[in-house]
Amino acid sequence: LAKTTQPISMDSYEGQEVNITCSHNNIATNDYITWYQQFPSQGPRFIIQGYKTKVTNEVASLFIPADRKSSTLSLPRVSLSDTAVYYCLVAPLGKLIFGQGTELSVKP
Amino acid sequence: DADVTQTPRNRITKTGKRIMLECSQTKGHDRMYWYRQDPGLGLRLIYYSFDVKDINKGEISDGYSVSRQAQAKFSLSLESAIPNQTALYFCATPSERGDQETQYFGPGTRLLVL
């Protein structure tokens, strides 16, 4: 089963672009890569999903190289409210496996 | 997004007690999920159900059981609670996107087993 690896924590300042990379070396051909955001004492919230190349929505961009063994979530111009834990998710055979998450701290 | 409610929101119980956590959804989704989250760790899947008659074990099902009483309700039971089951429990359904990778999570139930 594919396993994801992310940095445990990252620090940033307001207005900066933040890139969080997730490694998933054993990703299967049919797996999609999905990112979630979680605030304290709340359930995770879907941010973005992709299969290959680049996906962009109103919240973030997701970059996936051709080999799909990693992915990078890009948050443009972060604010204090982006302080949260970000999870990279790969879904093999319908069983969802969350990584340990990256705790992003945005400072003023 | 799906309207997912969980009851209770907080619960304290003692070792050996039976406890049930309930989850309800109003969007008519066939699939429902139960997750557990421990401090500093990601979510781990306990059980999932693809419809009323289709229930599957997740990553950490030992010590738990579930019941899908109706399409809208999915309950998680701890038959004999133990302290290491102290955690935050989330119920989830598919999001409006409809695929199984994007889910909508309920507000969570914080359980403390003494």
Side-chain angles (χ1 to χ4, degrees):
Chain A
L1 299 177
K3 180 180 178 179
T4 60
T5 303
Q6 307 172 231
I8 297 296
S9 63
M10 294 182 68
D11 292 330
S12 183
Y13 291 94
E14 283 190 294
Q16 290 187 331
E17 178 184 75
V18 172
N19 296 308
I20 305 174
T21 297
C22 177
S23 171
H24 28 79
N25 291 319
N26 296 325
I27 189 170
T29 302
N30 295 329
D31 289 342
Y32 278 72
I33 300 153
T34 311
W35 285 78
Y36 283 80
Q37 175 191 56
Q38 186 179 27
F39 297 111
S41 298
Q42 294 185 24
R45 182 176 71 102
F46 168 79
I47 300 176
I48 197 167
Q49 181 186 69
Y51 183 80
K52 61 180 179 180
T53 63
K54 176 183 176 182
V55 179
T56 297
N57 61 22
E58 65 279 5
V59 176
S61 294
L62 179 59
F63 298 92
I64 305 170
D67 66 8
R68 303 200 330 121
K69 293 185 177 182
S70 66
S71 59
T72 299
L73 174 73
S74 181
L75 305 172
R77 299 179 301 280
V78 295
S79 65
L80 296 177
S81 63
D82 292 315
T83 293
V85 178
Y86 293 83
Y87 292 98
C88 170
L89 175 66
V90 174
L93 303 176
K95 294 184 178 181
L96 305 181
I97 299 177
F98 280 78
Q100 80 271 23
T102 297
E103 186 171 2
L104 173 65
S105 177
V106 180
K107 303 175 182 178
Chain B
D1 281 332
D3 187 6
V4 179
T5 58
Q6 293 184 235
T7 56
R9 294 295 312 279
N10 294 279
R11 179 73 182 268
I12 300 174
T13 191
K14 295 182 179 180
T15 297
K17 295 291 187 181
R18 182 180 188 274
I19 182 171
M20 177 182 289
L21 309 182
E22 299 189 1
C23 175
S24 296
Q25 52 110 351
T26 60
K27 294 293 186 179
H29 290 293
D30 289 334
R31 294 180 296 232
M32 297 184 74
Y33 307 82
W34 273 107
Y35 291 88
R36 163 180 175 159
Q37 185 171 35
D38 296 278
L41 299 179
L43 282 75
R44 292 182 290 172
L45 181 64
I46 306 173
Y47 269 96
Y48 58 105
S49 171
F50 284 166
D51 66 35
V52 175
K53 296 181 179 180
D54 185 357
I55 294 178
N56 305 277
K57 293 182 177 180
E59 183 183 356
I60 52 163
S61 59
D62 288 347
Y64 301 94
S65 62
V66 290
S67 174
R68 187 81 185 266
Q69 304 95 320
Q71 187 182 44
K73 296 184 182 297
F74 192 34
S75 301
L76 176 71
S77 292
L78 288 67
E79 296 299 328
S80 180
I82 56 177
N84 75 2
Q85 290 178 312
T86 292
L88 186 54
Y89 290 85
F90 290 104
C91 176
T93 66
S95 72
E96 292 304 315
R97 292 166 54 101
D99 56 84
Q100 61 185 349
E101 291 87 2
T102 58
Q103 297 181 357
Y104 180 81
F105 287 79
T109 294
R110 191 172 298 276
L111 176 65
L112 173 61
V113 182
L114 300 176

